[in-house]
Amino acid sequence: MKKNIKKIIIGIVIVIVIILGLIFFTAFKELQEEDILKQEIVNYSNKDLATDDYPIEVKTTGDRAYVEEAVKKYFKSLSDSVKAINSYLNEEELTNILTIDSLRNNSPNYTNSHAIISNTKSKVTKELENISSLCDEDTIKNLIDKDKLSDSEYYYDFYLDLMYTEKDLEELKNIKEEMENLSNNLNLFLDKVDEILTFLETNANYIEYTDTDIYISDDNILNEYNNLVNELTTLANNIAETESDI
């Protein structure tokens, strides 16, 4: 009887040790994964939106995996829009639109050039609106659906501590304002390019193209053309200043 009782006690102790071990192991693993999650978010927030890759590779499990995936998708969406804008603005058709070859080949109506301006404005505006939306406070707060978290309060607060600090909100506010400024300046720039094309179309009778230059026979029209080009240069400088602040 005593031997049986001893065996039972030993068995109970072993079970308790195993349970405690599992509890400690689970707690350690969760803490370890929380550290991984924090580091992953820091790594993604420190990437260069214009040049770095943002693979959606989830390294945690459970609620942490849901938070990690949502945050990584958020930064990837930001990066995709930034890269798309850079791509649109560096397309050869656009960057060469006022070169002599392009003007000569598209004169006198510049139909294709007008279409390039219109399409670029539409595509860039769409991406800038996406960036501005992603930088909105409500977007950050609603990025995580609490109903999809098993421990909704803890991990939602955990997420906010990582992505919704005063510093984060201030940075997002600044980015949003810079995006709005960039959008306005880009539209002004593209509108000015369109205005120059329309000006050349309207005054086609006074304009001739050589292999290397544009010749305008009327001095008043020439002066107005030069003024438009100077205005375009000023707008281009404004865009460069805005981009350097982002």
Side-chain angles (χ1 to χ4, degrees), residues 167-183:
K167 180 181 178 182
D168 292 327
L169 295 180
E170 185 63 26
E171 289 179 353
L172 290 172
K173 179 183 176 183
N174 291 336
I175 292 174
K176 187 173 182 179
E177 291 175 354
E178 288 161 359
M179 285 298 106
E180 290 172 353
N181 289 334
L182 178 59
S183 178

Side-chain angles (χ1 to χ4, degrees), residues 133-147:
S133 174
L134 288 170
C135 292
D136 192 84
E137 288 188 27
D138 287 338
T139 300
I140 301 298
K141 289 182 70 174
N142 296 322
L143 191 64
I144 300 298
D145 184 352
K146 293 173 70 173
D147 292 337

Side-chain angles (χ1 to χ4, degrees), residues 37-55:
L37 175 57
K38 289 178 184 177
Q39 190 59 51
E40 286 296 296
I41 292 177
V42 169
N43 290 343
Y44 269 58
S45 64
N46 288 334
K47 284 176 176 282
D48 189 318
L49 293 170
T51 59
D52 287 334
D53 293 327
Y54 288 78

Side-chain angles (χ1 to χ4, degrees), residues 195-213:
E195 184 181 348
I196 291 174
L197 294 172
T198 300
F199 176 83
L200 294 174
E201 179 182 351
T202 302
N203 296 285
N205 292 335
Y206 302 93
I207 296 171
E208 292 182 10
Y209 293 106
T210 68
D211 289 340
T212 58
D213 209 348

Side-chain angles (χ1 to χ4, degrees), residues 33 54 60 77 80 89 142 173 208:
E33 285 205 349
Y54 288 78
T60 56
S77 182
D80 288 346
L89 296 181
N142 296 322
K173 179 183 176 183
E208 292 182 10

Side-chain angles (χ1 to χ4, degrees), residues 211-230:
D211 289 340
T212 58
D213 209 348
I214 178 173
Y215 176 73
I216 300 177
S217 58
D218 185 283
D219 288 342
N220 291 328
I221 295 174
L222 175 61
N223 290 333
E224 189 171 351
Y225 172 76
N226 287 332
N227 288 335
L228 289 172
V229 172
N230 289 334

